Amino acid sequence: MSVDEGPTLRRRRLGAELKRCREAAGLTQENVSRHFEWHAAKVTRIETARVAVTARDVRDLLDLYHVRDEAYREALIELARMSRERTWWSDYRDVIRPGNFVGLEAGAASMLDWEPVIVPGLLQTEAYIRALLRTGRQSDPPHEIDRRVRLRLTRQARLTESRPLEFGVVMDESVVRRVVGGPEVMSEQLRYLIEMAQLPNVNLQILPFGSGEHGFLGGPVAILEFRGVDAQMNHGISRPETTNLGVVYLEGLAGDSYEEQPSEVARYRKEFERLSAKALDHRQTIKMIESLLVA
């Protein structure tokens, strides 16, 4: 399967371009909704990639925005068509949490991940996954557990494909000390972390207990970055305003949320850099994990 750029990322590119065109035309989202007699939130959902937009809607929007460049118009209309394509994860919609994180992960060029409680999903062994699911989803039937396991294992292909995800991880020390699934499962998981840490695109770090307070005290945080102008040129879109398409994914018990404002993405990235500077480096991290296997 190809995960270089999926429909989720295409929708984000398209939404960013349509927003730029609307603002250049001096129109508000409310102006556009009233003009087409759309639901008030439809323009927002299009521009934030919460929904897939039809080629007809894109054509109508571009007419309203007085966009006359035929090559540019056709590029956006084609992007709309491609953003509605079926994806490999479409088959797992019954077990994917609401939101589009899997699609974003599939299209990202790089991801920075803070994990305070468990091993990141992209680095989990099958036995570790099953142990987590047995604990958190005790009432789920076996076939649904199997589907969740297959989904997570399929996602892990991002780390070893021809154009792999650049993956930087900082885990709290408690993650490697917390025994999940029993000693054998945890030992296998620790050995797997050492193995995956050898990949050139994976940077694994542990934040020791003695590091003190930091800006990410709370739940998991993922910062995803996407390829810029080079990928957009495939659709005839090379406008620099849309090259910054980073997004912060925040996971919580009350639900997941996304932060896409460039200033906020930059703030989270800077905070991650501070966290990484406090953490053990790659070599020290491996040594700590190895020491836990010997103990």
Side-chain angles (χ1 to χ4, degrees):
M1 68 184 174
S2 173
V3 289
D4 285 341
E5 179 175 303
T8 303
L9 180 52
R10 291 172 187 141
R11 284 201 298 271
R12 295 190 71 235
R13 296 191 190 287
L14 178 59
E17 286 293 322
L18 291 175
K19 179 181 179 180
R20 189 195 64 78
C21 292
R22 174 180 59 76
E23 291 175 342
L27 298 173
T28 66
Q29 292 178 339
E30 185 180 358
N31 295 151
V32 177
S33 296
R34 282 204 307 266
H35 178 85
F36 291 113
E37 297 184 345
W38 286 347
H39 185 279
K42 180 172 179 176
V43 180
T44 300
R45 289 199 293 262
I46 289 173
E47 293 182 354
T48 57
R50 296 296 184 262
V51 296
V53 60
T54 66
R56 173 60 184 272
D57 281 347
V58 171
R59 188 176 289 109
D60 290 343
L61 287 168
L62 295 177
D63 287 343
L64 178 63
Y65 301 156
H66 303 292
V67 175
R68 303 299 183 217
D69 185 324
E70 283 301 321
Y72 182 58
R73 287 173 61 93
E74 286 306 311
L76 293 188
I77 291 168
E78 179 62 17
L79 200 53
R81 295 190 184 102
M82 295 174 69
S83 71
R84 300 176 69 85
E85 291 177 354
R86 186 175 179 81
T87 62
W88 66 263
W89 59 88
S90 299
D91 294 335
Y92 293 93
R93 293 202 180 280
D94 58 318
V95 294
I96 291 178
R97 295 178 69 173
N100 59 358
F101 178 75
V102 173
L104 291 174
E105 181 185 80
S110 66
M111 181 164 69
L112 301 175
D113 193 15
W114 158 243
E115 286 291 346
V117 180
I118 60 174
V119 171
L122 293 183
L123 300 177
Q124 294 173 1
T125 65
E126 180 173 345
Y128 188 95
I129 297 170
R130 289 188 180 279
L132 290 175
L133 293 176
R134 280 197 302 269
T135 301
R137 296 184 170 275
Q138 297 181 14
S139 61
D140 286 7
H143 76 273
E144 188 169 312
I145 295 293
D146 289 341
R147 284 178 56 71
R148 292 183 182 278
V149 171
R150 285 198 298 272
L151 169 62
R152 194 164 302 179
L153 293 175
T154 303
R155 286 170 52 200
Q156 294 178 359
R158 284 268 28 220
L159 297 179
T160 55
E161 61 184 13
S162 59
R163 297 181 68 185
L165 178 74
E166 294 291 331
F167 193 38
V169 182
V170 178
M171 302 184 302
D172 189 79
E173 184 176 342
S174 63
V175 172
V176 292
R177 293 191 179 276
R178 178 174 294 105
V179 177
V180 172
E184 289 187 9
V185 169
M186 197 62 200
S187 293
E188 179 192 29
Q189 177 63 73
L190 293 177
R191 287 192 293 270
Y192 188 64
L193 284 175
I194 294 173
E195 176 186 340
M196 296 303 288
Q198 308 310 312
L199 292 175
N201 55 303
V202 175
N203 183 40
L204 182 63
Q205 294 181 271
I206 290 175
L207 185 72
F209 289 139
S211 298
E213 71 280 0
H214 56 82
F216 283 171
L217 288 172
V221 177
I223 305 167
L224 301 101
E225 301 284 354
F226 302 88
R227 292 183 178 90
V229 171
D230 60 330
Q232 295 175 33
M233 287 293 288
N234 293 332
H235 305 294
I237 303 169
S238 58
R239 301 177 187 272
E241 294 90 344
T242 63
T243 60
N244 189 344
L245 288 174
V247 59
V248 177
Y249 169 74
L250 304 170
E251 184 178 344
L253 290 175
D256 305 336
S257 61
Y258 299 86
E259 178 57 68
E260 302 184 61
Q261 288 296 324
S263 60
E264 283 299 292
V265 175
R267 184 174 69 86
Y268 274 92
R269 192 184 305 112
K270 181 63 69 175
E271 202 60 55
F272 188 92
E273 291 171 0
R274 294 193 185 99
L275 189 70
S276 178
K278 284 188 170 189
L280 301 178
D281 64 22
H282 185 82
R283 180 184 59 82
Q284 294 168 327
T285 293
I286 298 301
K287 287 185 66 176
M288 174 180 280
I289 297 174
E290 290 174 340
S291 71
L292 293 174
L293 284 168
V294 173

